[in-house]
Amino acid sequence: MLLDTSGLLCLHFSSEPLYTQACIEYQKASIRLTHSYIIAEYVALANARRFSRSSVLDFVVDLLSSLDIETVWVDEPTHRATVELLILRQDKTYSLCDAVSFILMRQREVFEALTTDRHFEQEGFIRLLHPAR
């Protein structure tokens, strides 16, 4: 599975409504993939939500050190492919980070994302976390 920004937030903070579901889905995964733009977005989101900075940074260090999670560092060719995807999908509100995820997921044949973001479903992937309506 791809570990997206919202999924990481749910996985890290037990106060998040989907914490338990995120933990269950994480444990079931045989592949765990994330990328450098997700990590950057995660730090910004956690900061905006006023979570403890030291807790957030400790979590990032643990994530980067984990042998169970592959972190892909976004390079220039991937970034350019991402911009091309955004140009093709101007009817969507995908972020740059979302588009990198879609490119990597297709390259790696990963179809599930630990995320609450509906954009993954719009792009044909499986969103594992569904907020209450």
Side-chain angles (χ1 to χ4, degrees), residues 2 4-7 113-117 120 126-130:
L2 178 99
D4 186 42
T5 309
S6 62
L114 190 70
T115 188
T116 62
D117 189 340
F120 285 81
I126 299 167
R127 170 177 56 153
L128 295 173
L129 302 175
H130 294 271

Side-chain angles (χ1 to χ4, degrees), residues 42-51:
Y42 172 77
V43 171
L45 176 62
N47 186 54
R49 298 267 311 270
R50 300 192 185 277
F51 286 111

Side-chain angles (χ1 to χ4, degrees), residues 37-112:
Y37 287 16
I38 287 173
I39 295 168
E41 189 177 70
Y42 172 77
V43 171
L45 176 62
N47 186 54
R49 298 267 311 270
R50 300 192 185 277
F51 286 111
S52 161
R53 189 155 179 81
S54 62
S55 175
V56 168
L57 295 176
D58 287 346
F59 182 78
V60 168
V61 168
D62 289 346
L63 186 146
L64 292 173
S65 302
S66 175
L67 300 177
D68 295 328
I69 301 169
E70 179 185 359
T71 301
V72 175
W73 299 94
V74 178
D75 58 10
E76 182 179 351
T78 303
H79 185 93
R80 287 184 180 276
T82 297
V83 172
E84 290 175 20
L85 177 63
L86 290 175
I87 290 168
L88 292 172
R89 303 284 197 280
Q90 290 187 47
D91 62 320
K92 306 289 187 226
T93 57
Y94 300 165
S95 70
L96 186 67
C97 185
D98 290 344
V100 169
S101 297
F102 304 152
I103 295 285
L104 289 176
M105 289 175 78
R106 285 195 179 97
Q107 287 174 348
R108 303 295 180 91
E109 298 183 350
V110 172
F111 304 104
E112 296 180 326

